[in-house]
């Protein structure tokens, strides 16, 4: 049921258009050829911002600035680099409301999701890596009085940071922060679909006094700006979050150049509900893991596997909860789901729901665009939270990433079957297990082929832990020490003691 209340919606000036600029060598600049792209507000379907439609030459200038800035930045004492990052974190905090509103308007996410989770997390990314690099352990290996080895870790130079549209500032800063903390300089490219908050980050980086060239942000299309970053000979390190298809293309370019790459890619995450699960306790999580940010989070569960003895009961409670979710104006505090990021993505989601029906699935709820939306949102891109039943494991709907508010529910009979189904997709990013039997949960977790297994929770994130995926979900790990290692090159120094 869709109800949208106008009350409490922050005032929106529909005529206002934000102008975003590139950050190159410490200055806010337009694209060299003067081109502009337009960013759409998915809640209204109207242009709300314009960004520089940059080309290869803009990237080349940014890389030159980053190369030039590298010796001084990497030569700063760690505590001074960390102080810069903490200043930037403080500025993100003090601009939280402005950033959150812009993120919601640019991406379609609810204002609450942006205000309470994503913008604070962007600040904590800088703060976390400022501290992590200060507290990083050093490695020493002794050889019985014969020699001592110690490992130096030096920054690798210019890091290319390419991020997607689903959690724009959150994921961009998750890459920039460890790169800068370890002494690399950065050329970053946000998604052209959601460039707005990166535009503000550029202003804040200047205000924080980051030396020119240390952080460069170049806006534009993936196929030009992204591609040029990946193929640029002076960018030895590339960290990418996005689709598996683009990740594959990046590997093909970067592999023969012997670049170091980190790829955080798609998912088709299972949620396993065992026969002894505490459904009352689990249900909030499962509803959130299915539909948070309209299902546009790589960690969202999209395949719910329920022990057959609890399937009917699960469906009763789950469907009642899902039908109670309100799709509406992202700026309204009454909305649980906002808008889908773009018309193109909405059409992709609709085509997958049609595919689910063609494959024999039954739409238990949702499956359509909402019928009632406020006038302001009448041309926006919205979709009801959708639950599909009755599909076999091998069908495309259960195998391919949809990345929208669509989940499929399947039954299972044995735990072995649950684990087999959980693993039987090309992806391996995350998995949730709900059970009161913790010994069983540990046994199952050890057999799940995924980078993260949550037991009786979802989206609990400790930034020190390794983050990444198995199989087509990615290559490498980010977070904590893994990120610090990724952005540095080790040299072992061996000292003869004899
Ligand atoms: P995408 O289309 O792969 O784009 C990701 C980024 O790559 C964008 O900035 C894009 O630029 C750029 N890009 C496109 N083509 C490129 C190329 N040839 N060379 C270099 N860069 C290029 O992904 P998306 O649709 O934005 O994001 C959704 C996907 O991200 C989903 O598959 C989701 O699972 C995945 N994701 C994974 C994680 C994770 O941690 N594993 C987290 C979040 C999202 P433009 O958009 O400007 O063209
Ligand atoms: Mg947009």
């Amino acid at each position: 049921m869709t109800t949208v209340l106008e009350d409490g919606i922050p005032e929106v000036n529909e005529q206002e258009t934000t102008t975003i600029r590139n950050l190159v060598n410490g200055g806010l600049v337009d694209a060299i050829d003067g081109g502009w792209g337009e960013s759409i507000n998915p809640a209204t379907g109207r242009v709300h911002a314009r960004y520089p439609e940059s080309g290869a030459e803009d990237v080349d200038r940014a890389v030159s600035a980053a190369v030039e800035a590298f010796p001084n930045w990497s030569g700063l004492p760690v505590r001074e680099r960390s102080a810069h990052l903490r200043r930037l974190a403080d500025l993100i905090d003090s601009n939280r409301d402005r950033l959150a509103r812009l993120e919601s308007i640019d991406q379609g996410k609810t204002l609450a999701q942006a205000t309470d989770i994503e913008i604070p997390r962007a600040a904590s990314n800088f703060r976390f890596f400022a501290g992590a690099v200060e507290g990083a352990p050093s490695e020493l290996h002794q050889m019985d009085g014969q020699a001592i080895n110690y490992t130096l870790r030096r920054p690798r130079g210019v890091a290319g940071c390419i991020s997607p549209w689903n959690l724009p500032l959150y994921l961009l800063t998750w890459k920039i922060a460890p790169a800068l903390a370890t002494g690399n300089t950065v050329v970053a490219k946000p998604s052209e679909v959601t460039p707005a908050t990166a535009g503000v980050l550029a202003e804040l980086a200047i205000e924080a006094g980051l030396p020119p060239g240390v952080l460069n942000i170049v806006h534009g299309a993936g196929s030009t700006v992204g591609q040029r970053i990946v193929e640029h000979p002076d960018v030895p390190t590339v960290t990418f979050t996005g689709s598996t298809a683009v990740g594959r293309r990046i590997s093909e370019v970067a592999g023969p150049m012997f670049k170091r790459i980190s790829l955080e890619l798609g998912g088709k995450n299972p949620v396993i509900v065992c026969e002894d699960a505490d459904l009352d306790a689990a249900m909030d999580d499962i509803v959130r893991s299915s539909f948070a940010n309209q299902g546009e989070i790589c960690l969202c569960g999209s395949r719910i596997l329920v022990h057959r003895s609890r399937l009917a009961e699960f469906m009763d409670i789950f469907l009642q909860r899902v039908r109670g979710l309100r799709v509406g104006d992202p700026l309204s505090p009454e909305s649980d789901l906002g808008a889908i990021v773009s018309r193109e993505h909405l059409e992709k989601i609709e085509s997958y729901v049609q595919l689910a029906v063609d494959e024999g699935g039954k739409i238990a709820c949702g499956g359509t665009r909402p019928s009632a939306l406020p006038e302001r949102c009448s041309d926006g891109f919205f979709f009801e939270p959708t639950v599909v039943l009755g599909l076999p494991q091998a069908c495309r709907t259960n195998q391919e990433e949809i990345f929208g508010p669509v989940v499929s529910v399947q039954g299972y009979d044995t735990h072995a079957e649950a684990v087999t189904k959980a693993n039987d997709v090309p992806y391996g990013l995350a998995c949730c297990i709900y059970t009161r039997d913790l010994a069983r949960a540990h046994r199952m977790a050890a057999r799940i082929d995924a980078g993260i297994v949550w037991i009786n929770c979802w989206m609990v994130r400790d930034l020190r832990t390794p983050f990444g995926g198995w199989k087509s979900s990615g290559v490498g790990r980010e977070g904590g020490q893994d990120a610090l290692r990724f952005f540095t090159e080790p040299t072992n120094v061996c000292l003869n003691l004899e």
Side-chain angles (χ1 to χ4, degrees):
M1 182 49 212
T2 303
T3 45
V4 177
L5 305 183
E6 294 282 354
D7 294 353
I9 300 180
E11 198 184 333
V12 177
N13 177 359
E14 302 289 359
Q15 308 312 319
E16 139 195 342
T17 305
T18 306
T19 296
I20 296 155
R21 323 278 299 281
N22 287 338
L23 173 63
V24 178
N25 205 15
L28 296 176
V29 297
D30 300 341
I32 291 167
D33 77 0
W36 293 96
E38 291 179 333
S39 185
I40 306 286
N41 174 351
T44 63
R46 288 193 279 275
V47 173
H48 84 97
R50 57 178 199 151
Y51 62 86
E53 186 67 87
S54 313
E57 209 185 320
D58 296 281
V59 173
D60 292 354
R61 281 200 191 171
V63 173
S64 298
V67 166
E68 204 175 312
F70 178 68
N72 281 342
W73 179 250
S74 58
L76 280 184
V78 169
R79 65 173 188 288
E80 284 185 33
R81 285 203 305 267
S82 291
H84 277 290
L85 299 195
R86 291 192 177 100
R87 270 197 298 279
L88 194 46
D90 291 345
L91 284 170
I92 292 173
D93 279 341
S94 56
N95 283 274
R96 184 193 66 170
D97 292 345
R98 172 189 175 205
L99 283 163
R101 186 173 173 280
L102 199 54
E103 197 78 296
S104 170
I105 290 172
D106 201 24
Q107 204 276 341
K109 63 183 70 260
T110 62
L111 186 60
Q113 164 82 14
T115 308
D116 300 338
I117 299 172
E118 296 186 24
I119 303 305
R121 171 61 189 277
S124 16
N125 285 339
F126 284 110
R127 238 174 241 125
F128 171 78
F129 282 108
V133 74
E134 287 171 333
S138 41
E139 296 147 77
L140 181 127
H141 299 91
Q142 304 196 45
M143 297 173 71
D144 291 335
Q146 179 197 346
I148 295 176
N149 297 278
Y150 61 90
T151 308
L152 295 173
R153 289 190 179 273
R154 283 182 287 164
R156 306 189 78 241
V158 181
C161 300
I162 302 175
S163 57
W165 49 253
N166 64 324
L167 308 173
L169 194 65
Y170 174 128
L171 287 175
L172 186 68
T173 54
W174 175 240
K175 298 180 171 308
I176 292 173
L180 294 182
T182 45
N184 298 273
T185 53
V186 166
V187 176
K189 192 204 100 63
S191 169
E192 64 185 318
V193 183
T194 53
T197 47
V200 177
L201 183 69
E203 294 168 18
L204 300 182
I206 293 171
E207 195 179 334
L210 222 54
V214 167
L215 171 62
N216 305 273
I217 302 177
V218 183
H219 295 274
S223 52
T224 50
V225 173
Q227 176 86 16
R228 181 62 187 152
I229 290 172
V230 174
E231 67 192 16
H232 198 297
D234 293 335
V235 181
T237 312
V238 175
T239 165
F240 168 83
T241 299
S243 63
T244 297
V246 173
R248 184 171 292 119
R249 221 169 305 145
I250 288 175
S251 307
E252 286 164 4
V253 176
M257 298 176 82
F258 305 117
K259 295 195 176 200
R260 185 176 293 174
I261 54 175
S262 167
L263 303 174
E264 301 289 347
L265 311 176
K268 190 73 181 174
N269 307 313
V271 174
I272 301 175
V273 180
C274 296
E275 68 271 37
D276 62 350
D278 179 347
L279 287 187
D280 289 337
M283 205 46 83
D284 273 354
D285 265 4
I286 298 178
V287 171
R288 270 194 321 123
S289 77
S290 304
F291 301 115
N293 204 43
Q294 301 71 247
E296 296 164 339
I297 302 180
C298 55
L299 299 168
C300 276
S302 51
R303 297 182 294 132
I304 306 177
L305 307 172
V306 186
H307 193 273
R308 224 172 286 282
S309 65
R310 303 289 298 281
L311 187 55
E313 179 195 1
F314 176 87
M315 287 309 296
D316 275 354
I317 306 173
F318 185 57
L319 287 178
Q320 193 184 346
R321 290 289 303 273
V322 178
R323 289 190 181 113
L325 293 172
R326 293 156 304 187
V327 182
D329 191 325
L331 295 177
S332 165
E334 303 297 325
S335 301
D336 298 304
L337 281 80
I340 303 297
V341 73
S342 65
R343 182 184 306 280
E344 191 187 19
H345 194 53
L346 173 62
E347 286 168 0
K348 175 187 158 187
I349 293 166
E350 285 179 317
S351 75
Y352 267 104
V353 171
Q354 183 57 51
L355 175 71
V357 172
D358 295 345
E359 290 181 321
K362 173 175 172 291
I363 308 296
C365 75
T368 58
R369 299 184 189 195
S371 49
L373 285 167
E375 174 57 26
R376 196 178 94 79
C377 297
S378 55
D379 293 327
F381 319 132
F382 293 85
F383 203 73
E384 290 281 1
T386 299
V387 180
V388 188
L389 288 177
L391 284 171
Q393 170 70 22
C395 72
R396 284 182 54 205
T397 311
N398 274 335
Q399 293 287 321
E400 297 176 13
E401 184 182 48
I402 301 173
F403 214 55
V406 181
V407 292
S408 144
V409 182
Q410 291 174 267
Y412 71 84
D413 293 303
T414 66
H415 300 123
E417 183 190 345
V419 170
T420 303
K421 282 183 163 158
N423 288 338
D424 179 24
V425 288
Y427 298 102
L429 190 55
C431 172
C432 294
I433 301 171
Y434 291 92
T435 177
R436 285 189 172 95
D437 181 343
L438 292 187
R440 175 202 293 140
H442 290 300
R443 281 196 303 275
M444 286 173 101
R447 293 164 56 211
I448 296 290
D449 302 339
I452 301 174
V453 176
W454 277 296
I455 300 172
N456 294 328
C457 58
W458 177 69
M459 207 58 181
V460 176
R461 289 277 296 117
D462 181 328
L463 303 189
R464 294 169 299 181
T465 59
F467 180 91
W470 288 44
K471 302 188 281 185
S472 298
S473 288
V475 174
R477 292 293 182 273
E478 299 186 344
Q481 293 301 311
D482 288 270
L484 301 185
R485 284 171 176 250
F486 174 74
F487 286 110
T488 54
E489 193 71 46
T491 300
N492 186 67
V493 180
C494 179
L495 170 69
N496 183 12
L497 296 179
E498 291 178 337

